[in-house]
Amino acid sequence: MAAVMSTVISQMFADVAWHDTQQQAILIAAAIRGGSLPHVVTPTVPGVDLVQVVAPDGRVLAASPAARNKPPISVARPAPNDPLLDLQTCSNAEPGCLRYSALRVDPRADSPIVLAARRTSTTLSTGFVDAIVAAQATVLVSCVAGLTWAVTGRILQPVNAIRSELAKITFSDLSHRIAEPAGDDEICRLIRTLNQTLLRLETATHQQRRFVADASHELRTPVAGLRVKLEEAQMHPRDIDVNGLVEHTLNDVLRLQAILADMLMLASLESSAERKRQRVDLAALTRAELKGRAHTPPIRSSLEDGVTVAGVPSQLSRMLTNLLDNAQRHARHVVDIEVHRDSDSALVTVCDDGPGIAEADRERIFERFTRLDTARSRGHGGTGLGLAIVSDVVHAHAGTILVGESVHGGSRFDVRFPLLTDAP
């Protein structure tokens, strides 16, 4: 900026000087064309005191008092098609550095040349201006540097505070939050986003710890039963009914196997690895599920063909298995399952005529290891993970699940998936 300003100011000074010399040269040339050429030229433009009229052979025909008895200021001869030249020179020891204009009086070959000049200390004559511009540039750069330092420090101060607050948060205690300042600038939005992330992390950690505790509790019961039966058989081998022991221990092993299978299913659903989706006909999948299922209580079906979704067949099959297991476990006489289109959705409905689910419990039943009072007994067959798996499968397939009351007075599960109209 300083260099550009210095150049512009220098050019302005030069333009002013050449404007004066041009004006003086034009006045003298006009007088010559009018037939008036005094031997001594009297300058009329202030500051332009060096004027010469030079013949083609280099003789000085007329001059101002300051330029008399001196060689020509310049040997420049403007061309007929460009009669005016603005020049500068410091080649003369006397009178020194000059800015001058050379004007051809007329286009003729023997036309005299009018030279009008003014003195200047240097060719550019802007040393003082350069010093002022340099000083201004130094002050400006210093002010900008100080302002940048202050603004940067003010911006980074809350960032440093955020870093200090985050350093206090540990995995064992995720309840700490960063104080949110008033306003809606980038820093405030960053702090709110961090607090929301911490909340989600705390919730996920709490759920994970609760799941581990519940899983340990659920696994402890069959393991403890196995140990008691085996220790009793070891202490009293003659009093043990081997067939009964095998039957009871096998039941406990099957329960352990069911719990572990459900836990592995949940782990696979939570995995970030994407399973390849396929075109799945829900009616065909439901028929395959009903084919090998016990019909006590009986299951009535209403299946519309061609209701297809994009999904993982094994996961959708597990969802149907768990829904039907839950319905048959609580039904008194009958279970209904329907598959049909509903606008742009695929709707799967499972109903039973059991005791139903209270409205206050309709969200809680999808939590892991949740058993309602009517199904509290572990001998009733559930692991407490069936409906949790159903919920995770539905959400993994961009679906929704709602719980309500069936027409039979029991529970009703409505599962919706985006309907697939084109082949994947």
Side-chain angles (χ1 to χ4, degrees):
M1 288 178 60
V4 171
M5 289 177 61
S6 178
T7 302
V8 170
I9 293 174
S10 298
Q11 189 61 43
M12 290 175 59
F13 282 174
D15 290 344
V16 170
W18 279 318
H19 179 269
D20 292 343
T21 58
Q22 288 174 8
Q23 194 173 24
Q24 184 63 71
I26 290 170
L27 291 174
I28 300 299
I32 294 173
R33 286 192 293 269
S36 173
L37 179 59
H39 185 66
V40 178
V41 178
T42 302
T44 58
V45 177
V48 183
D49 57 346
L50 299 172
V51 180
Q52 291 179 337
V53 181
V54 181
D57 57 4
R59 291 179 297 111
V60 178
L61 303 177
S64 64
R68 290 186 64 186
N69 302 322
K70 294 182 179 178
I73 295 172
S74 173
V75 296
R77 289 189 61 79
N81 59 348
D82 188 15
L84 179 63
L85 296 176
D86 292 325
L87 304 167
Q88 59 187 10
T89 181
C90 286
S91 61
N92 299 325
E94 175 62 30
C97 293
L98 301 174
R99 281 195 177 94
Y100 64 95
S101 295
L103 177 61
R104 191 183 188 96
V105 175
D106 55 57
R108 292 178 297 119
D110 60 347
S111 171
I113 303 299
V114 178
L115 301 174
R118 65 183 301 169
R119 294 178 177 88
T120 181
S121 57
T122 63
T123 301
L124 296 178
S125 186
T126 57
F128 179 70
V129 174
D130 291 344
I132 293 177
V133 171
Q136 290 177 338
T138 302
V139 173
L140 179 61
V141 169
S142 300
C143 291
V144 170
L147 182 62
T148 303
W149 181 269
V151 171
T152 304
R154 185 171 182 179
I155 292 174
L156 294 181
Q157 185 176 3
V159 175
N160 188 50
I162 294 172
R163 182 197 61 78
S164 300
E165 292 293 328
L166 286 175
K168 298 177 183 177
I169 300 173
T170 62
F171 186 74
S172 59
D173 182 14
L174 296 172
S175 60
H176 187 74
R177 296 291 181 270
I178 303 171
E180 295 186 11
D184 194 34
D185 57 13
E186 288 78 4
I187 297 296
C188 296
R189 291 196 290 271
L190 173 62
I191 293 175
R192 282 195 286 270
T193 302
L194 286 173
N195 283 337
Q196 292 170 2
T197 303
L198 288 172
L199 177 61
R200 291 194 295 269
L201 182 60
E202 182 185 15
T203 303
T205 303
H206 175 72
Q207 291 175 346
Q208 183 183 25
R209 290 172 178 170
R210 180 180 173 185
F211 176 70
V212 171
D214 290 342
S216 300
H217 179 71
E218 292 293 326
L219 292 172
R220 186 184 297 116
T221 301
V223 169
L226 279 172
R227 180 175 179 177
V228 169
K229 292 181 180 67
L230 293 174
E231 287 179 347
E232 184 179 358
Q234 185 181 32
M235 294 173 61
H236 308 285
R238 296 180 180 179
D239 299 333
I240 293 300
D241 179 7
V242 176
N243 292 331
L245 175 63
V246 171
E247 182 180 356
H248 285 93
T249 54
L250 184 59
N251 288 335
D252 288 335
V253 170
L254 291 176
R255 176 164 179 75
L256 281 172
Q257 185 179 10
I259 295 174
L260 291 175
D262 285 350
M263 292 174 63
L264 288 174
M265 183 67 181
L266 287 172
S268 67
L269 290 172
E270 292 176 350
S271 173
S272 59
E274 287 290 336
R275 298 285 297 274
K276 185 177 180 180
R277 301 295 176 92
Q278 302 177 21
R279 188 183 186 95
V280 180
D281 187 324
L282 290 178
L285 193 70
T286 304
R287 289 191 185 97
E289 172 63 28
L290 295 175
K291 187 178 295 184
R293 175 173 291 275
H295 295 285
T296 305
I299 300 176
R300 301 182 302 191
S301 62
S302 175
L303 309 177
E304 179 182 349
D305 290 322
V307 180
T308 57
V309 298
V312 181
S314 61
Q315 294 180 0
L316 293 174
S317 179
R318 184 60 180 274
M319 176 203 73
L320 291 172
T321 298
N322 289 2
L323 284 175
L324 291 172
D325 284 347
N326 180 76
Q328 285 189 303
R329 187 178 300 121
H330 299 96
R332 295 188 181 94
H333 305 292
V334 68
V335 173
D336 290 334
I337 182 169
E338 297 180 9
V339 175
H340 62 273
R341 290 183 179 87
D342 184 19
S343 184
D344 58 349
S345 300
L347 179 61
V348 179
T349 302
V350 178
C351 300
D352 62 66
D353 60 350
I357 301 172
E359 189 172 353
D361 296 324
R362 290 175 183 174
E363 291 292 334
R364 191 167 65 89
I365 59 173
F366 296 110
E367 297 177 2
R368 297 170 182 181
F369 296 113
T370 297
R371 293 185 179 86
L372 303 184
D373 292 338
T374 57
R376 182 73 61 181
S377 173
R378 290 183 173 84
H380 204 50
T383 65
L385 295 175
L387 292 180
I389 292 175
V390 169
S391 177
D392 285 2
V393 169
V394 170
H395 292 139
H397 287 76
T400 61
I401 182 168
L402 294 176
V403 183
E405 183 177 349
S406 72
V407 294
H408 308 299
S411 60
R412 173 190 176 99
F413 289 82
D414 288 327
V415 180
R416 291 181 182 272
F417 295 110
L419 190 63
L420 184 63
T421 55
D422 298 324

